[in-house]
Amino acid sequence: MAGGRRSTASRTSRPPAAPSGTNNMVASQNKPGAVSTGRKEDDPTSPLSYPQAVPIPDIPHDSPFTFEVIMFLYTGAALGLQYLNLYRTVWWLPHSYTNQALNFYLIDPFTIAFSLTLLSRRLVWLCIRAAIIYFLPVSPSGRFVNGSKFCTIGMILLILGYLAYFVVQNHSMVNILYLVYPASVYFILFGASASPFIDLSPGSQGRVKIYKDKIGTFRTNLAAAGGVPTSPELIRMEVAITKTDFNTRLKQVLFNTIISSYYSGFIPCAFSPSFLSYEVWWVSQHTLTTFLGCLTLYLVHCFPAGYNHLLHRTSLHLGHWQKMEGRISPNFYNQWSAASLWPGSAIVRHGKDLYKAEGVVNAAEPGNFSHVRYFYLFGDPSLLVCGLLVVQATLVSFQLLILAKSHMWYHLISQGILAFGNYYTLFKLTRDYLILSKIYKAEQMLMERFAPSLQG
């Protein structure tokens, strides 16, 4: 209609004045000749216009080398204990045919060597890298170190191929497929990239990287990380970068958890002789316990409290749009602009729909479901830590119940040793949850108290 065309032209030539609480912060900041009314709440560019996350203390975190040592000891112990479950003997009886606790003559040493080589691949690379940096005057991120990484990958693959040749001599082709099956999972998750094979932490995304500063705070080298956001585009860029980094870390956690539990729990059973009799339910629960223990260990290391706080800071600046039903007068909303940072309760039109801003400030794109998921997932990361803490507490309780009910000596040994690693993870999760929950509770109280000032 003609009236609609006039309204459109009018909004194109001169945007209407936004109602109270819906003014464009960025536009107002750069608006020439703006006249101040003398009231603080009328100034949307004051420092209180941007929410600041409460800083967290520097929570101790294992170094990559310490974690790899712990992980190798845990998976190596799980591998040895699974062989104990399979090849145990009754050596203590007076007329026993053997005086050894295991039937070693039934165990294939090349299968064990293959599993240990694969489980220790990252630890081997860290030792080689540390030796190169210590003895040679090279940069830790230089070409020589990167070239040495690929040489190490080739050496490990060569050793695995050499061991697989001897495994083929004693086992059927089906068992060989069991041995190399995880390679297909690797190519599905990472493609032809070689670095994830021995690097647990994701690399840089072009020129953008996530790093830890001197005071222990995780940041990106974008201006929006850890400081006052300078533009909505920068905030959305940081969201995309941290989301990609989070997904890469999650893929690493899932892949390495599967690899660790597969080679330390399933492979010993798959390569056992056909005439061997063992408790299927016990070796199955041992594999499941190893899987859950490795999962929580990897999650705690790859997603420390400081990293979760980085995601929370970004979600605090991102905000969220709630879709509105019905129609309202054009005088009460603005057309959404990608260059604008909107305050809470602002109403905008994007496409054919109306949206209302949620949060203190809003830089998200209305209708973008990835932004919605990001906001709700990392709005309070202590909830994720709490969920992981419940899983770990359930695992430890289950192991204690087994220890209380079991009367078999190998049951007590296998669960008792694995429980030590799970106690360590339980301690770290409890510490992180207590700290993060108190910080985010205090932050929420501050946000509610200063909400009128923040929204201008």
Side-chain angles (χ1 to χ4, degrees):
M1 293 186 299
R5 287 192 296 270
R6 286 194 299 270
S7 176
T8 303
S10 176
R11 287 196 297 269
T12 304
S13 60
R14 182 178 57 86
S20 176
T22 62
N23 52 326
N24 183 331
M25 291 185 182
V26 177
S28 299
Q29 183 177 8
N30 300 326
K31 186 175 180 181
V35 180
S36 175
T37 60
R39 294 185 303 168
K40 182 177 181 180
E41 61 270 20
D42 288 341
D43 182 14
T45 63
S46 61
L48 289 178
S49 298
Y50 301 101
Q52 297 295 312
V54 176
I56 65 173
D58 184 14
I59 303 176
H61 186 60
D62 293 333
S63 66
F65 181 79
T66 303
F67 172 76
E68 293 302 337
V69 171
I70 293 174
M71 201 70 226
F72 178 70
L73 293 177
Y74 185 84
T75 54
L79 176 64
L81 293 171
Q82 189 71 306
Y83 278 104
L84 176 65
N85 296 331
L86 294 172
Y87 301 101
R88 67 191 181 280
T89 66
V90 288
W91 52 273
W92 65 89
L93 295 179
H95 301 288
S96 176
Y97 63 92
T98 181
N99 58 357
Q100 296 178 336
L102 276 73
N103 290 317
F104 289 102
Y105 67 94
L106 296 177
I107 301 176
D108 184 7
F110 295 104
T111 305
I112 298 179
F114 187 96
S115 299
L116 290 177
T117 302
L118 201 57
L119 294 175
S120 63
R121 65 193 188 280
R122 293 192 307 272
L123 181 59
V124 171
W125 161 238
L126 287 179
C127 293
I128 293 176
R129 182 178 181 272
I132 292 174
I133 296 175
Y134 181 80
F135 290 105
L136 300 178
V138 295
S139 171
S141 58
R143 294 183 178 180
F144 185 81
V145 174
N146 290 331
S148 302
K149 177 195 299 184
F150 293 103
C151 292
T152 304
I153 293 175
M155 180 189 68
I156 293 175
L157 293 178
L158 185 63
I159 295 174
L160 292 176
Y162 176 79
L163 295 173
Y165 170 77
F166 290 98
V167 175
V168 171
Q169 308 301 320
N170 301 321
H171 297 276
S172 63
M173 184 55 64
V174 175
N175 287 354
I176 303 304
L177 294 178
Y178 286 150
L179 201 65
V180 299
Y181 168 74
S184 61
V185 180
Y186 180 88
F187 287 112
I188 291 174
L189 292 177
F190 303 108
S193 178
S195 294
F197 184 68
I198 58 175
D199 265 344
L200 190 59
S201 300
S204 303
Q205 303 177 41
R207 297 182 178 180
V208 181
K209 63 178 180 179
I210 296 177
Y211 65 97
K212 192 175 182 180
D213 61 14
K214 296 181 179 179
I215 62 175
T217 303
F218 280 81
R219 301 181 184 277
T220 68
N221 51 0
L222 291 173
V228 176
T230 57
S231 69
E233 291 89 347
L234 200 62
I235 296 175
R236 289 190 291 270
M237 185 184 301
E238 186 181 45
V239 168
I241 290 169
T242 53
K243 182 183 70 173
T244 301
D245 186 83
F246 177 86
N247 292 336
T248 304
R249 288 171 182 256
L250 189 60
K251 288 194 296 184
Q252 280 279 20
V253 167
L254 296 177
F255 172 74
N256 287 283
T257 299
I258 293 173
I259 289 294
S260 299
S261 58
Y262 184 84
Y263 283 98
S264 60
F266 176 76
I267 287 298
C269 302
F271 282 80
S272 62
S274 58
F275 57 83
L276 184 67
S277 177
Y278 56 87
E279 296 173 292
V280 177
W281 74 272
W282 180 255
V283 298
S284 299
Q285 72 83 23
H286 178 86
T287 304
L288 179 61
T289 301
T290 304
F291 176 84
L292 293 177
C294 293
L295 177 64
T296 52
L297 275 171
Y298 277 115
L299 285 173
V300 169
H301 180 74
C302 293
F303 300 101
Y307 182 84
N308 295 334
H309 194 62
L310 166 66
L311 302 177
H312 169 69
R313 295 200 310 266
T314 307
S315 70
L316 195 63
H317 297 149
L318 178 67
H320 163 58
W321 292 101
Q322 184 67 38
K323 186 177 179 180
M324 300 179 61
E325 302 295 337
R327 296 183 178 181
I328 62 176
S329 171
N331 295 326
F332 293 95
Y333 66 82
N334 282 342
Q335 188 70 25
W336 181 79
S337 172
S340 302
L341 188 65
W342 303 88
S345 302
I347 300 176
V348 300
R349 184 181 185 90
H350 183 60
K352 297 181 179 180
D353 299 316
L354 295 175
Y355 297 89
K356 184 177 181 180
E358 301 287 342
V360 180
V361 295
N362 200 312
E365 179 185 359
N368 190 323
F369 292 105
S370 65
H371 288 177
V372 175
R373 289 193 300 268
Y374 192 99
F375 178 80
Y376 282 112
L377 187 61
F378 305 119
D380 186 359
S382 64
L383 297 179
L384 299 177
V385 179
C386 180
L388 192 57
L389 177 60
V390 171
V391 173
Q392 187 67 11
T394 304
L395 174 61
V396 171
S397 301
F398 175 73
Q399 288 183 303
L400 293 177
L401 181 62
I402 289 180
L403 290 173
K405 294 290 185 180
S406 296
H407 58 276
M408 298 292 185
W409 63 277
Y410 60 93
H411 289 186
L412 299 175
I413 292 177
S414 61
Q415 288 301 317
I417 293 178
L418 288 182
F420 280 106
N422 295 329
Y423 294 153
Y424 177 70
T425 310
L426 181 64
F427 159 74
K428 298 187 72 174
L429 285 172
T430 304
R431 178 200 62 188
D432 292 352
Y433 173 71
L434 292 177
I435 294 176
L436 293 178
S437 61
K438 290 182 180 296
I439 288 177
Y440 295 131
K441 184 178 179 180
E443 179 183 283
Q444 189 64 28
M445 294 175 60
L446 291 175
M447 289 295 178
E448 294 175 355
R449 181 178 179 181
F450 296 104
S453 300
L454 288 170
Q455 295 182 4

